[in-house]
Amino acid sequence: MKVYKEVIRYESAPLSARHHDRGTTEPISFFFSNLEELLSWKPTSQDMFNIAVTPLAKRYPPIDGQRPRTLVCHDMMGGYLDDRFIQGTDSKEPYVFYHWQYIDIFVYFSHRMFTLPPVCWTNAAHKHGVSVLGTFITEWEDGGKVCESFLAGDEATYKAVADQMVALARFYRFDGWLINIENVLSPAAVSRVPLFLSYLTEKLHSQVPGGLVLWYDSVLHSGELKWQNELNAENRQFFAACDGIFTNYNWKEDHLQRMTAEPRRTDIYVGVDIFARGDVVGGKFETIKSLEMIRQYGFSAALFAPGWVYECFNREQFVENQHRFWSLLENRLYSHSLRTLPICSSFCLGRGKKRFSYGQAEEIGPWFNLSAQELQPIFSDVAADEGASYVRCRICPQDAWHGGNSLLIEGTLSGETNAVSLRLFSLHVPTPDKLMLSMVYKLEGDPNVSVSLELSTQDAPLCSVESVTEITGIALRPSPCSPRTAPYIVLALFRGCSLMSLSHFRFYEVQLSGCLLTSLSVRFAKTKHDGQDENFVCRVGEIRVYSQATMLFFFFPRI
């Protein structure tokens, strides 16, 4: 009898230094430092971690409309900090951005030649309908040599560069590029720049739906490096070859006045340095001065380095300073609306001091992962009775239903005010025939205040509420909480056109006809009208709005 032996050896595949952190070996987002790295790039299995999993959400109005836009350019300490860890990290005080409803375009900027947006930023931005761009930058003497090497020769060279840039955006699922050439160009090289931009833009549009290419105001048509702080004859040929221009920051009102005849006015993104470096208008907590002037002339705005509130202040007060900064600007920012269902949010920022599940802390310790950021609301305040009645919302890091945060809503109903509504989400959603709503919340103490959801619809003769039916035979998922905190209340209730309010601990199917949802709000109302002031503190843990088509996910949301 013959015996055959087979020896099987397993050898671990070497970890790519580009794709993994040297200290922890965890997967990371990365950049390219030179043309050679770009041109030699071919996707491998290790690149799969860096692909954004969240598609660009539909929004209203669409980004290609004529309304002035707002761009945020994220520049922070060289980039690729805590945000480079694809699976998150245990950072205690990481930077996060969450005022997405005001933003149309997010640019991830660094001084690496090809800055690829970390995948967590693309996931978070796309959830809110915000386009994400990487940055191609060349600078000074070395940058000039790079530009000569791919622009001064034949067209095949610059087309190869553009093809790879499009391939990167398509593969990693971000939305385009900011082109920032900050070095002198030879006559031969500068003559090729519009051709390069035109080819890149056309190719990106054909392969990346909604793709964008923007040009930074730096080089002139002569090849001289000279920032103009406006669109003019010196840089117009670059603007004409792509989707827009991001101007330098040292402009004055006369620069804006000279651009008013431009037919593509909303494609001019007037730069605002939040750090207020150089001879600029506004900046810091006075950024509203520059934004008001930009909007007065109908231009889009490019807000550079709003992480100033993180870098220059106590990081434990970051959320408060972030709220202050954006609150000062909100009257000059245009918000966009959500266009599709379902709408689901536990208001998690993608960071937390703890991690919660169904109201109970699962892990003790800080964590950060922007890919886990949930849909963020409109952070606004409402006042009535000359300020005697008010309601305002903030992020609460101490308590949550899922993730790391809940929405803290505080307010006062004066003796003259019986109810106040706080709008959380702006919508532009045609209603399905049947709609499901639910809310998880917790009131502190025992105020004489009721809490309900409120849906607003566009006035139309065809819009009507056909019926409201209780769904029976469905077991409610348990909701354990810490014994030291008041229990969360799981509600399913509807309030549309001020017609009805449904009771606690039930799920309801609402049948609508011909309606367009325009907003989702939380309403606080007195339960007795005795002329007394009522103060309240409410933490909203989760809100869900679903169509009948997503019923299965509605009842089993986190399996």
Side-chain angles (χ1 to χ4, degrees):
M1 182 177 65
K2 295 182 180 179
V3 178
Y4 295 93
K5 293 183 179 180
E6 183 179 3
V7 178
I8 301 175
R9 292 186 175 88
Y10 293 94
E11 295 182 2
S12 59
L15 296 178
S16 163
R18 175 186 293 166
H19 299 89
H20 297 84
D21 181 67
R22 291 182 180 181
T24 65
T25 72
E26 293 187 11
I28 56 173
S29 295
F30 59 87
F31 52 87
F32 291 135
S33 299
N34 52 57
L35 281 179
E36 289 73 20
E37 290 181 359
L38 173 81
L39 294 172
S40 63
W41 172 80
K42 291 181 180 178
T44 68
S45 60
Q46 297 190 65
D47 284 280
M48 303 302 288
F49 286 105
N50 259 308
I51 298 175
V53 296
T54 306
L56 182 60
K58 294 180 180 179
R59 38 80 60 86
Y60 180 84
I63 194 172
D64 57 0
Q66 293 305 303
R67 190 180 72 171
R69 308 176 198 103
T70 303
L71 177 152
V72 160
C73 191
H74 177 66
D75 172 49
M76 181 175 290
M77 297 179 284
Y80 300 97
L81 304 175
D82 296 323
D83 55 6
R84 74 185 187 277
F85 290 100
I86 295 170
Q87 296 173 323
T89 182
D90 60 358
S91 177
K92 292 181 179 179
E93 298 293 342
Y95 175 80
V96 294
F97 181 83
Y98 48 91
H99 286 81
W100 295 108
Q101 75 276 7
Y102 297 132
I103 305 305
D104 300 290
I105 301 168
F106 179 87
V107 178
Y108 195 81
F109 181 88
S110 81
H111 289 273
R112 277 72 176 217
M113 187 173 293
F114 294 94
T115 300
L116 309 182
V119 64
C120 63
W121 281 107
T122 306
N123 284 329
H126 277 186
K127 192 170 293 185
H128 297 84
V130 176
S131 300
V132 178
L133 309 187
T135 304
F136 169 47
I137 184 171
T138 59
E139 300 176 280
W140 315 122
E141 227 178 280
D142 288 342
K145 294 176 182 177
V146 169
C147 289
E148 295 301 316
S149 70
F150 83 95
L151 288 171
D154 59 39
E155 67 176 19
T157 308
Y158 73 72
K159 285 184 175 181
V161 172
D163 287 341
Q164 283 292 81
M165 293 172 69
V166 171
L168 287 168
R170 183 179 180 184
F171 182 82
Y172 293 119
R173 298 179 187 169
F174 60 96
D175 306 295
W177 294 92
L178 170 68
I179 309 300
N180 184 5
I181 295 178
E182 296 199 60
N183 47 257
V184 175
L185 295 175
S186 70
V190 76
S191 69
R192 296 277 190 181
V193 171
L195 301 175
F196 166 66
L197 290 173
S198 181
Y199 179 80
L200 174 63
T201 304
E202 182 181 354
K203 195 75 178 286
L204 187 76
H205 288 180
S206 69
Q207 297 195 21
V208 178
L212 292 167
V213 176
L214 302 182
W215 171 259
Y216 180 69
D217 158 34
S218 50
V219 174
L220 309 185
H221 69 85
S222 64
E224 181 183 1
L225 178 63
K226 190 175 182 181
W227 298 267
Q228 298 296 286
N229 304 297
E230 64 177 311
L231 173 67
N232 57 30
E234 299 287 352
N235 54 26
R236 184 175 300 277
Q237 63 177 347
F238 309 121
F239 172 71
C242 64
D243 296 304
I245 188 170
F246 181 150
T247 78
N248 194 47
Y249 315 102
N250 297 307
W251 50 267
K252 294 292 182 285
E253 188 168 7
D254 58 318
H255 291 88
L256 304 183
Q257 290 171 341
R258 287 194 290 269
M259 297 189 291
T260 54
E262 171 55 48
R264 289 175 58 196
R265 191 181 306 186
T266 56
D267 293 335
I268 302 172
Y269 299 81
V270 180
V272 179
D273 182 7
I274 306 304
F275 277 80
R277 291 164 286 203
D279 184 15
V280 301
V281 175
K284 301 183 179 179
F285 283 123
E286 294 187 336
T287 297
I288 186 61
K289 292 181 178 180
S290 51
L291 193 55
E292 283 181 338
M293 198 176 294
I294 292 168
R295 297 307 197 210
Q296 177 186 344
Y297 291 96
F299 297 114
S300 295
L303 306 180
F304 184 78
W308 168 77
V309 297
Y310 177 85
E311 293 189 54
C312 295
F313 294 90
N314 185 334
R315 292 180 184 176
E316 293 183 356
Q317 302 300 314
F318 163 64
V319 171
E320 291 81 358
N321 287 323
Q322 176 100 316
H323 183 82
R324 177 188 173 193
F325 178 84
W326 289 98
S327 295
L328 291 169
L329 303 182
E330 64 181 1
N331 289 335
R332 293 294 181 177
L333 296 170
Y334 301 101
S335 63
H336 56 265
S337 303
L338 305 173
R339 279 191 54 196
T340 57
L341 297 178
I343 294 167
C344 174
S345 181
S346 65
F347 307 102
C348 179
L349 294 183
R351 58 174 269 184
K353 295 181 178 181
K354 302 175 183 178
R355 192 186 299 272
F356 291 82
S357 180
Y358 299 101
Q360 193 169 42
E362 287 189 327
E363 298 177 12
I364 305 301
W367 64 277
F368 168 64
N369 187 347
L370 266 180
S371 289
Q373 186 178 96
E374 297 270 355
L375 198 66
Q376 294 300 302
I378 299 170
F379 291 93
S380 60
D381 301 339
V382 175
D385 297 341
E386 298 181 348
S389 296
Y390 74 91
V391 60
R392 64 188 180 195
C393 64
R394 303 288 187 274
I395 287 295
C396 173
Q398 282 77 36
D399 202 358
W401 181 245
H402 287 298
N405 318 98
S406 58
L407 189 65
L408 175 65
I409 304 177
E410 302 172 292
T412 294
L413 299 177
S414 72
E416 303 298 318
T417 304
N418 291 326
V420 172
S421 294
L422 178 69
R423 187 173 63 131
L424 297 183
F425 296 104
S426 176
L427 309 176
H428 191 85
V429 180
T431 59
D433 291 339
K434 295 178 182 178
L435 199 64
M436 301 289 302
L437 293 95
S438 74
M439 177 169 65
V440 179
Y441 77 92
K442 179 164 59 177
L443 274 171
E444 282 192 4
D446 190 23
N448 296 312
V449 174
S450 65
V451 185
S452 62
L453 284 178
E454 187 173 80
L455 276 176
S456 297
T457 60
Q458 187 178 68
D459 291 336
L462 298 178
C463 179
S464 63
V465 179
E466 302 292 338
S467 65
V468 179
T469 306
E470 181 180 355
I471 299 175
T472 59
I474 297 172
L476 186 65
R477 183 186 288 272
S479 53
C481 302
S482 167
R484 288 174 289 181
T485 62
Y488 277 93
I489 301 171
V490 181
L491 298 185
L493 43 91
F494 175 80
R495 191 174 184 88
C497 307
S498 300
L499 292 177
M500 60 191 69
S501 181
L502 307 181
S503 58
H504 297 190
F505 299 106
R506 293 180 175 91
F507 287 92
Y508 285 85
E509 176 185 275
V510 181
Q511 190 164 349
L512 302 167
S513 176
C515 298
L516 180 74
L517 302 181
T518 58
S519 68
L520 177 64
S521 304
V522 179
R523 181 178 175 86
F524 299 90
K526 290 180 179 177
T527 55
K528 60 183 180 179
H529 308 297
D530 53 8
Q532 300 297 311
D533 291 357
E534 285 292 344
N535 301 315
F536 62 88
V537 176
C538 178
R539 287 177 174 82
V540 181
E542 186 175 79
I543 287 178
R544 292 173 178 264
V545 182
Y546 284 88
S547 65
Q548 188 185 43
T550 52
M551 288 265 294
L552 182 62
F553 183 69
F554 180 85
F555 291 118
F556 304 98
R558 295 178 186 272
I559 294 177

